[in-house]
Amino acid sequence: MAKKNVNILVVNDDGITAPGIKVLLEEMKKLGNVVVVAPDSPQSGMGHAITIGRPLRLDKIDLYEGVEMYKCSGTPVDCVKLAIHKIYKGKKPDICVSGINHGLNYSINVLYSGTMSAAVEGAIEGIPSIGFSLDDFSHQADFSFCRPYVLGITEQVLKNGLPKNTLLNVNFPRGEEIKGIKICRQANGSWVEEFEERTDPYNRDYFWMTGKFELNDRGEETDVFALHNGYAAVVPTQFDMTAHHAIPEINSWSFDVKE
């Protein structure tokens, strides 16, 4: 049963009408009062982009019964910022959940992901935050088997909180059954891109980016390994990008400047 005093912000990057956000808000309604703020069109791959130099629009819509919903003309991060400052009016929600994304956000993908960047923005604001993603890009993706995990993980965060400056990156494998949950580290991987050159009807060149994910990590404690073996991968994630281990080495360098 929903707890009326729990306020939950739901965001995504696939857009306000995406099936994944419908599943997420339905599960969150079991836990408390839900406010949805999502882009008015898909914003995948936007990372932590924010809108500068053009106006932002925030329109209330009536899409699903019993849920306060807004569509935003900006990025996923814009959605979180507007929700906090204009909807909650500075009184922050108890938790921010993002997704459920159509497609995985494991390994290096976390840097490009609009889904995860929305959750990161929540964490920057001091709100316990989770990003959820499923290994299925289809508009008809089956989210049913990950519903209890979405609910259970969110309940645990509400109950226990999260360490300061930490959020959760949760990825689900595709299939009809999940073996369980693995707490993982982010795998070391990268994208090898190619740019296909084409010509438009006006004889102007343009480029279409393609590529493939390259895994450089065979560790069995990674998110990639967990997902490939049928487990939901939960990675505690931080937004402090300081390479702390490198500070002693770089401190040994000489930075004498010759004028």
Side-chain angles (χ1 to χ4, degrees):
M1 183 177 292
K3 297 179 181 179
K4 297 302 181 183
N5 59 337
V6 175
N7 294 309
I8 304 169
L9 173 61
V10 175
V11 294
N12 78 346
D13 74 351
D14 287 322
I16 193 78
T17 60
I21 201 170
K22 179 177 183 291
V23 172
L24 186 55
L25 70 88
E26 286 173 349
E27 294 306 309
M28 293 305 103
K29 283 175 65 178
K30 300 174 183 177
L31 299 176
N33 303 309
V34 174
V35 170
V36 177
V37 184
D40 58 11
S41 61
Q43 297 284 325
S44 295
M46 290 299 290
H48 213 88
I50 56 175
T51 300
I52 298 175
R54 62 181 177 85
L56 283 170
R57 304 196 183 279
L58 187 67
D59 299 311
K60 192 170 186 178
I61 62 171
D62 185 16
L63 193 57
Y64 301 115
E65 185 178 352
V67 180
E68 185 177 350
M69 300 187 72
Y70 301 84
K71 64 178 181 178
C72 173
S73 63
T75 68
V77 174
D78 290 329
C79 291
V80 176
K81 288 180 177 291
L82 281 171
I84 292 170
H85 293 284
K86 294 301 178 182
I87 299 172
Y88 287 105
K89 300 189 183 302
K91 186 178 180 181
K92 297 173 183 177
D94 296 292
I95 194 167
C96 172
V97 291
S98 184
I100 301 170
N101 189 65
H102 292 250
L104 291 174
N105 281 311
Y106 63 6
S107 185
I108 198 68
N109 295 318
V110 69
L111 291 179
Y112 305 109
S113 166
T115 298
M116 280 304 296
S117 289
V120 167
E121 184 63 25
I124 290 171
E125 290 283 352
I127 304 165
S129 299
I130 314 169
F132 292 104
S133 304
L134 172 68
D135 185 17
D136 195 336
F137 285 99
S138 170
H139 192 76
Q140 288 77 39
D142 180 11
F143 292 92
S144 60
F145 58 92
C146 62
R147 280 179 181 265
Y149 291 91
V150 168
L151 188 63
I153 291 168
T154 305
E155 284 180 316
Q156 285 300 304
V157 172
L158 284 169
K159 177 183 177 181
N160 299 301
L162 286 171
K164 186 177 180 181
N165 300 334
T166 303
L167 63 148
L168 298 184
N169 181 17
V170 181
N171 285 276
F172 297 107
R174 186 191 313 194
E176 297 180 356
E177 184 178 345
I178 296 175
K179 294 180 180 178
I181 293 174
K182 294 284 189 183
I183 309 303
C184 312
R185 65 171 174 85
Q186 176 183 318
N188 180 0
S190 61
W191 283 93
V192 179
E193 287 103 357
E194 296 179 2
F195 291 87
E196 184 177 333
E197 187 171 351
R198 302 179 184 179
T199 304
D200 69 16
Y202 299 96
N203 205 35
R204 296 176 300 190
D205 292 336
Y206 69 96
F207 301 91
W208 195 269
M209 186 177 74
T210 62
K212 63 179 181 179
F213 177 74
E214 189 172 275
L215 179 64
N216 306 311
D217 192 333
R218 301 302 170 189
E220 296 186 2
E221 71 281 8
T222 70
D223 49 7
V224 173
F225 185 88
L227 288 159
H228 285 176
N229 286 275
Y231 290 89
V234 178
V235 178
T237 303
Q238 63 183 13
F239 49 82
D240 176 3
M241 299 180 71
T242 305
H244 294 277
H245 66 281
I247 290 175
E249 178 185 345
I250 296 173
N251 261 330
S252 70
W253 297 359
S254 175
F255 289 102
D256 294 336
V257 178
K258 297 179 181 179
E259 296 183 359

